[in-house]
Structure formats: C-alpha cells, structure tokens
C-alpha cells in the first residue's frame, strides 16, 4: 500500500517539498483550487475507467494534497508577513512569486512536514481525516515557529464575541468570512451543503467528488467574487455521513438525514474554529480543515458506539 511505503520512498519526500514550495509561489488558495480540479478529474477518471491514482497521488498526495500544498502555502504567507514581504499573514490568496527564495523553502519544509505526519497518522489508523487534521495542526505549528500567538488578541467580551468587528472597531477580530459567520447563515449552508454531499455520494458512489467541486469553486472566491460561500467542510462530511449510513445498511432517505447532520456539524465546527483560532490571530488557521477533522472524529465515535458499521476515514482500528 502507498501509505505503508511512501515514507521510505525519497521520491515522495522530494515531491512533498516541491508541492509545498510551489504552493507558496502561487498562493495557498490557488493551490487548493488546483486540489479541487485534480480531485474532480481523478474521480471522473475513476468512475469512467476505474483508474484511481489521480485522486490519491495528485489531489490528496504530495503535490496538491492540502496537508502539503495548502498548509505549505499558509506557512509561507505567515513567514513572509513576519519578514515584511507581505502585509497580511492571513493572505492566502496572493501568489508569493519567486522574489524571496526563503519563502519557498518554508513552504517546502512545511509541505514535507504535512506529508510525513499524514502518512504516519494514517499508518496508525488515527481516527479522523488526517489530511484535514494536519492542515489545522500545521497552522498552529507555523504560529509557534514564527513567533505568533496561537490564539491572538481578544478584543471583545470573550473569544466568541465578533461585535467589535461588526462595529468596525480598530484591532477588531478578522472574521474569516464576513458573509458566512452568523448562525442562521451557517445553519442554512450546512443544511444545503450536507444534502448536496449526500446526494452526490448516493448517485455516483464517490465520497470525495463533493469535496473536489467545493474546492474548485473557490476559484471564484480567489477572483474576488463577493459573498461566495466556502463549503468543502460541509459537502465532504455530508458525503461521508451518507456513505457511513449506506455502509451500515440504512436506506437512501436515512442516509440523506445523516448527510444533513454531518453537513451542519462541519459547518458549525468551521465557525467554531473561526471564532477561537482564526479571528483573533495574525495568520491563517483553516476553519474548513477543523470542520472536516472534527467530522472525522464524529464519524469514528459513531462507529465505536455502534451507530455505524464503518466510515470513510480511519477509526483507530475499530
């Protein structure tokens, strides 16, 4: 299996360095958009011709795997801001180019870190989406390594209070998506995204196609389209909820109910991360990654207590 051999293959280590450095040069968000296109292409090829290497080795592997490319690009942006090359350490949309080689080296090193950590976590069957887990962990690591506060400065009544930003106060929290943080909006996109993810799984048999579509759609966000929603932490858990229900023997309607549950859970976990880790800090800690890996822990818990017989991600060997 690739997961058992990749750590011993120097080609994968070199590819992971290149993946992180390339993402630093083009920007973390543009690199993630490529992840989406690779997953869509890989899943279409798999569904049409039973060829699965593109999704696993490119979309989720050492080139465009988010734990390599997106995490590497985010770390590079944090480093670039610390060095004065970039105005905002949260700026994951801008390409960092090739002006500063040290920025690309940072991206490459964090790409290697993400690659190695995910391989190890998957090998021991750590019970969640370990790619998403390492996108989140890598961001906390880059904050520590580059001298940023892990949480940041809390300017409101408490860590969850976004009212200073709503009032436009100076040094207010930097809300992740100002158009997607209020509870009613988070709930609605969680419901809709969960249903979309569930339907795509039930009709295609692909768990990750919904993730690819959501990730690729962020091209429009990167191009500056106002109010564009971010949904991969909603649609992917929705697909996993439907997959887990179907694998347990539940019918399609019940599978769609679980898709809603997981979509809502992923949406609100993403918003939790926004308020705790993203808003008050000075670098990008990814709310969708948090939402996805927390959804993975939920799926594992439901396997352990017997609600599900199986799920898509590792489950600590259960």
């Amino acid at each position: 299996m690739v997961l058992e051999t990749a750590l011993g293959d120097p080609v994968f280590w070199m590819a992971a360095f290149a993946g992180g450095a390339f993402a630093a040069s083009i920007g973390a968000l543009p690199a993630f958009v490529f992840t989406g296109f690779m997953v869509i292409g890989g899943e279409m090829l798999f569904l049409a011709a039973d060829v699965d290497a593109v999704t696993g080795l490119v979309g989720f592997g050492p080139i465009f795997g988010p734990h390599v490319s997106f995490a590497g690009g985010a770390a590079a942006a944090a480093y670039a801001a610390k060095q004065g090359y970039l105005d905002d350490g949260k700026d994951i949309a801008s390409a960092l180019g090739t002006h500063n080689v040290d920025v690309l080296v940072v991206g490459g090193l964090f790409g290697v870190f993400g690659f190695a950590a995910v391989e190890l976590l998957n090998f021991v069957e750590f019970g969640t989406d370990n790619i998403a887990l390492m996108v989140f962990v890598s961001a906390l690591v880059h904050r520590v390594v580059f001298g940023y506060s892990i949480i940041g400065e809390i300017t409101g009544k408490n860590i969850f209070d976004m009212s200073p930003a709503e009032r436009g106060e100076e040094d207010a929290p930097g809300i992740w998506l100002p158009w997607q943080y209020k509870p009613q909006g988070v709930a609605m996109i969680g419901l809709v995204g969960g249903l979309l993810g569930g339907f795509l799984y039930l009709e295609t048999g692909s768990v990750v196609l919904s993730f690819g579509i959501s990730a690729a759609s962020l091209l429009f966000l990167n191009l500056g389209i106002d109010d564009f929603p971010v949904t991969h932490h909603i649609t992917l858990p929705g697909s996993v909820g439907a997959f887990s229900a179907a694998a347990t023997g539940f019918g399609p309607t019940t599978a769609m109910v679980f898709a809603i549950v997981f979509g809502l859970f992923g949406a609100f976990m993403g918003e939790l991360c926004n308020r705790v880790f993203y808003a008050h800090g000075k670098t990008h800690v990814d709310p969708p990654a948090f939402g996805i890996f927390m959804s993975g822990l939920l799926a594992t818990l439901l396997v352990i207590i017997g609600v599900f017989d199986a799920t898509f991600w590792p489950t600590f060997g259960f």
Side-chain angles (χ1 to χ4, degrees):
M1 293 176 60
V2 171
L3 292 178
E4 296 177 1
T5 61
L7 283 175
D9 188 342
V11 170
F12 279 79
W13 290 84
M14 289 185 282
F17 180 84
F22 181 67
S25 70
I26 69 173
L29 184 56
F32 186 67
V33 170
F34 274 108
T35 301
F37 285 125
M38 292 299 102
V39 171
I40 292 172
E43 290 305 282
M44 292 296 99
L45 187 60
F46 175 70
L47 293 172
D50 197 27
V51 176
D52 62 358
V54 175
T55 298
L57 292 179
V58 182
F60 292 131
I63 302 300
F64 288 115
H67 56 304
V68 173
S69 63
F70 184 86
Y79 171 80
K82 181 64 71 170
Q83 296 301 311
Y85 306 148
L86 188 67
D87 292 335
D88 182 4
K90 289 181 174 178
D91 183 359
I92 59 170
S94 297
L96 298 175
T98 61
H99 305 291
N100 301 290
V101 174
D102 50 338
V103 173
L104 304 191
V105 171
V106 166
L109 291 175
F110 271 85
V112 170
F113 169 61
F115 158 73
V118 167
E119 294 297 312
L120 288 170
L121 288 168
N122 282 339
F123 183 72
V124 301
E125 299 185 21
F126 193 83
T128 189
D129 183 320
N130 290 310
I131 289 176
L133 173 60
M134 284 313 303
V135 171
F136 174 71
V137 170
S138 180
L140 300 185
V141 170
H142 81 228
R143 282 188 173 180
V144 172
V145 169
F146 301 135
Y148 293 95
S149 168
I150 291 180
I151 299 297
E153 181 181 358
I154 300 170
T155 57
K157 296 177 181 178
N158 54 59
I159 199 168
F160 299 104
D161 181 15
M162 298 291 105
S163 62
E166 294 168 346
R167 293 191 295 267
E169 295 180 6
E170 188 176 355
D171 298 325
I175 300 174
W176 169 52
L177 299 174
W179 55 88
Q180 189 179 320
Y181 79 99
K182 294 183 178 179
Q184 65 271 26
V186 173
M188 190 62 190
I189 198 66
L191 170 69
V192 171
L195 286 171
L196 290 173
F199 179 81
L200 282 169
Y201 168 71
L202 291 175
E203 296 302 317
T204 69
S206 171
V207 176
V208 298
L209 179 59
S210 63
F211 174 89
I213 293 170
S214 290
S217 77
L218 297 183
L219 172 64
F220 300 102
L221 180 64
N222 209 130
L223 292 174
I225 301 297
D226 292 336
D227 296 339
F228 199 89
V230 176
T231 58
H232 53 288
H233 60 305
I234 301 168
T235 56
L236 176 59
S239 291
V240 171
F243 168 88
S244 304
T248 305
F250 292 110
T253 302
T254 303
M256 289 291 276
V257 171
F258 276 109
I260 293 171
V261 170
F262 272 79
L264 288 168
F265 184 80
F268 278 103
M269 287 298 101
E271 182 54 29
L272 176 66
C273 181
N274 167 43
R275 296 181 185 235
V276 175
F277 293 104
Y278 179 91
H280 311 284
K282 294 185 180 299
T283 72
H284 184 86
V285 175
D286 197 53
F290 186 86
I292 293 171
F293 99 74
M294 289 297 290
S295 297
L297 292 178
L298 173 62
T300 291
L301 174 63
L302 293 177
V303 170
I304 291 172
I305 67 176
V307 175
F308 291 152
D309 291 340
T311 191
F312 180 68
W313 295 306
T315 56
F316 298 110
F318 283 90

